[in-house]
Amino acid sequence: MGQTLVIGASTNPGRYSNIAIRRLVENHVETTAFGISRGTVSGIQITDNLDNFQNIDTVTLYLNPKRQKEYYQKIVDLKPRRVIFNPGTENPEFQEILSKEGVEVQEACTLVLLATGQY
């Protein structure tokens, strides 16, 4: 399994992005994280710069559709195999862009996928 990038990462333990980072690490998934504020969750550094990521297999989104728009091109440029749109992040416009680029689009909850062995 390749590297997962959590976009919309937060150091707040009550946020789903934070829980996702912890569960990804617990499930031995190579994890990186991007957020508006730097910090660390389960040993994973949250960076506020999307330019330095490479070899990303999966992007899991925790940004609402309005916030996603400014990152469309940067995410496409990462050339991920798939992008997971977690509940509340569904975005038909961006999903179409990704599909046209050959990226697998999945509307799902990362936490459920991990809990059920479908990740």
Side-chain angles (χ1 to χ4, degrees):
M1 184 181 311
Q3 188 173 182
T4 293
L5 171 59
V6 177
I7 294 184
S10 171
T11 56
N12 179 339
R15 303 291 292 195
Y16 284 111
S17 62
N18 183 292
I19 297 167
I21 293 169
R22 289 184 275 139
R23 294 282 150 61
L24 287 161
V25 169
E26 288 168 10
N27 281 275
H28 309 287
V29 176
E30 189 178 348
T31 305
T32 55
F34 166 80
I36 56 169
S37 298
R38 293 179 183 200
T40 305
V41 176
S42 291
I44 303 301
Q45 285 291 131
I46 299 172
T47 181
D48 59 0
N49 183 342
L50 259 181
D51 295 331
N52 298 324
F53 292 103
Q54 295 178 0
N55 304 317
I56 300 299
D57 176 74
T58 299
V59 170
T60 183
L61 286 176
Y62 290 93
L63 291 177
N64 71 50
K66 280 185 182 178
R67 296 283 322 278
Q68 292 170 24
K69 200 167 191 88
E70 66 184 281
Y71 301 109
Y72 283 7
Q73 193 57 53
K74 287 189 182 277
I75 293 170
V76 167
D77 290 346
L78 291 170
K79 299 189 183 331
R81 178 182 59 83
R82 72 173 169 171
V83 173
I84 300 171
F85 287 81
N86 286 277
T89 68
E90 300 89 346
N91 182 344
E93 177 183 69
F94 190 30
Q95 289 169 302
E96 185 176 331
I97 291 168
L98 290 166
S99 291
K100 286 181 179 174
E101 292 288 330
V103 177
E104 177 187 336
V105 171
Q106 195 170 10
E107 285 185 6
C109 175
T110 296
L111 300 175
V112 171
L113 293 173
L114 287 165
T116 59
Q118 298 177 69
Y119 192 81

